[in-house]
């Protein structure tokens, strides 16, 4: 799919060689004519003729060479200019190739190119580090050949969706399988390639190894799942409020069991709404002290159950701070001490 320019060497003869060869041919013909064929041919046509002087014969030869040289000058000039342009274009193409290769070798990303059937037509050398295979093993193979068989149907649909509108795509993440069975996650970015007639030729782009980040994301997701499972199975109320004392999180099972509320009925509402006015004033003063820098607090309070009764509770909490150290809320646990 990359444009190629034919080398002028071997396909475009030198203008000088053409000129000299042509002049040599004209000189030979003129000499043969003047010093051989002229008398034979004209004698046969017109009878016996008086021989020309030697000077006249050479005058004809020189005149023939001059006219031949003048006639050849424009095409030879054009050929010279064309040849030089082709050589200049070839040198520019060679320089561009060298720059491209230098860039490809310098970057850690895998540079790739596929045709409109999804088969590799180019791959950079560092594919061996990413996929554990050589360039020769990749060329003419299909994208899906390096994806685990059980994932190919899903991957084919994702690839089709990413490339269906013939636009650029960024950070398309896909898991690839190495020959030894290990896997690597690559973030693939690319763009379509079109012919001068507007026909889709394929796609080209780069692929970046994001396996470490992907594994970190998966580990974080697993950790969050474990954390959420622990939180949701706790008999204690686990909660968080923002800097204004509004609930931003409560665990569902404990909220229902202790206070009779679903989390969505508490989120966004001030903790003062679930207390008597006197208790709310006391608790908000404690909350204000925490915002001033008190690192840890534990105290007894009472919350209003959804049925209107009050539940005595022991609260334990810590302040939550932003990167600048400013208190932006609190989080902790609460036990029913009825």
């Amino acid at each position: 799919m990359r444009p190629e320019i034919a080398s002028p060497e071997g396909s475009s003869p030198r203008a000088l060689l053409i000129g000299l060869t042509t002049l040599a041919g004209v000189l030979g013909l003129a000499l043969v004519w003047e010093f051989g064929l002229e008398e034979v041919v004209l004698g046969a046509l017109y009878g016996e003729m008086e021989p020309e002087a030697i000077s006249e014969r050479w005058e004809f030869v020189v005149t023939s060479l001059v006219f031949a040289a003048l006639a050849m000058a424009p095409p030879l000039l054009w050929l010279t200019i064309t040849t030089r342009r082709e050589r200049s274009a070839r040198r520019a193409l060679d320089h561009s190739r060298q720059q491209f290769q230098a860039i490809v070798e310098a970057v850690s990303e895998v540079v790739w190119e596929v045709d409109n059937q999804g088969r590799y037509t180019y791959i950079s050398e560092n594919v061996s580090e990413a996929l554990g295979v050589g360039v020769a093993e990749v060329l003419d193979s299909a994208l899906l050949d390096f994806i685990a068989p059980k994932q190919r149907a899903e991957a084919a649909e994702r690839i089709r969706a990413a490339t269906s509108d013939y636009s650029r795509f960024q950070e398309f993440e896909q898991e690839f399988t190495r020959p030894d069975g290990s896997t690597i996650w690559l973030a693939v970015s690319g763009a379509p390639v079109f012919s001068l007639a507007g026909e889709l030729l394929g796609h080209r782009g780069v692929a970046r190894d994001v396996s470490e980040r992907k594994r970190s994301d998966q580990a974080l997701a697993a950790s969050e799942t474990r954390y959420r499972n622990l939180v949701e199975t706790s008999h204690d109320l686990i909660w968080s409020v923002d800097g204004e004392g509004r609930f931003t999180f409560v665990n569902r099972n404990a909220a229902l069991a202790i206070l009779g509320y679903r989390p969505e009925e508490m989120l966004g509402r001030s903790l003062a709404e679930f207390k008597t006015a006197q208790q709310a004033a006391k608790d908000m003063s404690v909350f204000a002290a925490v915002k001033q820098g008190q690192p840890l607090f534990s105290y007894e309070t009472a919350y209003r159950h959804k049925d209107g009764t009050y539940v005595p509770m022991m609260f334990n909490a810590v302040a939550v701070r932003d990167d600048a150290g400013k208190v932006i809320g609190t989080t902790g646990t609460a036990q029913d001490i009825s």
Side-chain angles (χ1 to χ4, degrees), residues 1-3 100 110-116 119-123 143 163 167-170 188-195 200-207:
M1 286 187 281
R2 284 180 286 279
F100 170 77
V110 176
V111 181
W112 57 269
E113 185 177 76
V114 296
D115 60 20
N116 56 11
R119 306 193 74 84
Y120 287 101
T121 57
Y122 175 82
I123 197 76
L143 279 168
T163 59
S167 62
R168 293 177 177 272
F169 55 91
Q170 297 287 331
V188 184
S189 300
V193 180
F194 298 96
S195 67
L200 177 68
L201 298 179
H203 289 78
R204 64 166 62 106
V206 297

Side-chain angles (χ1 to χ4, degrees), residues 21 30 37 47 73 78 93 105 109 114-115 129 132 188 217 259 263 277 288 294 296 299 310:
T21 303
L37 291 179
W78 174 85
L93 179 59
E105 292 175 356
E109 289 86 353
V114 296
D115 60 20
E129 299 176 16
V188 184
D217 290 345
L259 300 176
Q294 181 177 330
L296 175 67
Y299 71 101
Y310 284 88

Side-chain angles (χ1 to χ4, degrees), residues 147-221:
I147 297 175
K150 64 181 181 181
Q151 299 176 348
R152 287 178 185 174
E154 178 186 354
E157 179 59 27
R158 294 181 66 227
I159 293 171
R160 186 202 63 77
T163 59
S164 60
D165 60 355
Y166 298 158
S167 62
R168 293 177 177 272
F169 55 91
Q170 297 287 331
E171 298 292 304
F172 172 85
E173 294 185 358
Q174 179 61 51
E175 187 177 23
F176 291 81
T177 305
R178 296 187 178 101
D180 62 5
S182 63
T183 61
I184 181 174
W185 278 92
L186 297 177
V188 184
S189 300
V193 180
F194 298 96
S195 67
L196 294 178
E199 177 187 6
L200 177 68
L201 298 179
H203 289 78
R204 64 166 62 106
V206 297
R208 179 169 55 87
D209 184 358
V210 292
S211 300
E212 286 299 323
R213 178 180 61 77
K214 201 70 178 179
R215 282 191 284 268
S216 296
D217 290 345
Q218 292 172 342
L220 178 60

Side-chain angles (χ1 to χ4, degrees), residues 6-26:
S7 171
E9 296 179 3
S11 61
S12 298
R14 295 177 181 274
L16 179 60
L17 178 60
I18 293 176
L20 292 176
T21 303
T22 304
L23 289 177
V26 171

Side-chain angles (χ1 to χ4, degrees), residues 1 28-29 31 34 55 105 144 154 161 168 219 224 258 261 277 312-313:
M1 286 187 281
L29 289 174
L31 290 173
E34 282 297 313
S55 61
E105 292 175 356
L144 297 178
E154 178 186 354
R168 293 177 177 272
E224 289 178 344
I258 298 174
Y261 291 99
M313 303 183 73

Side-chain angles (χ1 to χ4, degrees), residues 5-268:
I5 297 178
S7 171
E9 296 179 3
S11 61
S12 298
R14 295 177 181 274
L16 179 60
L17 178 60
I18 293 176
L20 292 176
T21 303
T22 304
L23 289 177
V26 171
L27 176 61
L29 289 174
L31 290 173
V32 170
W33 174 260
E34 282 297 313
F35 293 96
L37 291 179
E38 181 182 29
E39 292 184 2
V40 175
V41 174
L42 295 182
L45 293 175
Y46 302 108
E48 187 176 351
M49 299 178 64
E50 183 179 348
E52 291 182 325
I54 293 298
S55 61
E56 292 178 348
R57 293 177 184 272
W58 280 109
E59 181 181 348
F60 175 81
V61 172
V62 173
T63 303
S64 298
L65 289 175
V66 171
F67 275 106
L70 291 175
M72 288 189 302
L76 289 178
L77 179 61
W78 174 85
L79 179 59
T80 300
I81 294 173
T82 301
T83 302
R84 288 182 177 178
R85 285 179 176 175
E86 288 181 348
R87 287 177 177 172
S88 178
R90 182 171 62 84
R91 285 194 295 268
L93 179 59
D94 289 342
H95 180 65
S96 177
R97 285 172 173 167
Q98 291 172 1
Q99 285 185 318
F100 170 77
Q101 192 62 36
I103 293 172
V104 168
E105 292 175 356
V107 299
S108 58
E109 289 86 353
V110 176
V111 181
W112 57 269
E113 185 177 76
V114 296
D115 60 20
N116 56 11
Q117 300 300 315
R119 306 193 74 84
Y120 287 101
T121 57
Y122 175 82
I123 197 76
S124 56
E125 293 287 346
N126 53 2
V127 69
S128 59
E129 299 176 16
L131 297 182
V133 293
V135 172
E137 297 175 82
V138 176
L139 293 181
D140 203 37
S141 61
L143 279 168
L144 297 178
D145 291 346
F146 300 97
I147 297 175
K150 64 181 181 181
Q151 299 176 348
R152 287 178 185 174
E154 178 186 354
E157 179 59 27
R158 294 181 66 227
I159 293 171
R160 186 202 63 77
T163 59
S164 60
D165 60 355
Y166 298 158
S167 62
R168 293 177 177 272
F169 55 91
Q170 297 287 331
E171 298 292 304
F172 172 85
E173 294 185 358
Q174 179 61 51
E175 187 177 23
F176 291 81
T177 305
R178 296 187 178 101
D180 62 5
S182 63
T183 61
I184 181 174
W185 278 92
L186 297 177
V188 184
S189 300
V193 180
F194 298 96
S195 67
L196 294 178
E199 177 187 6
L200 177 68
L201 298 179
H203 289 78
R204 64 166 62 106
V206 297
R208 179 169 55 87
D209 184 358
V210 292
S211 300
E212 286 299 323
R213 178 180 61 77
K214 201 70 178 179
R215 282 191 284 268
S216 296
D217 290 345
Q218 292 172 342
L220 178 60
S223 176
E224 289 178 344
T225 299
R226 289 193 298 271
Y227 165 76
R228 185 165 296 277
N229 289 337
L230 288 171
V231 168
E232 291 302 335
T233 56
S234 173
H235 295 293
D236 294 337
L237 182 69
I238 300 175
W239 55 273
S240 293
V241 297
D242 61 17
E244 302 301 320
R246 295 184 295 260
F247 283 106
T248 58
F249 174 80
V250 291
N251 53 336
R252 177 175 297 273
N253 292 339
L256 282 169
I258 298 174
L259 300 176
Y261 291 99
R262 299 189 304 275
E264 51 268 28
E265 295 178 286
M266 300 181 68
L267 298 181

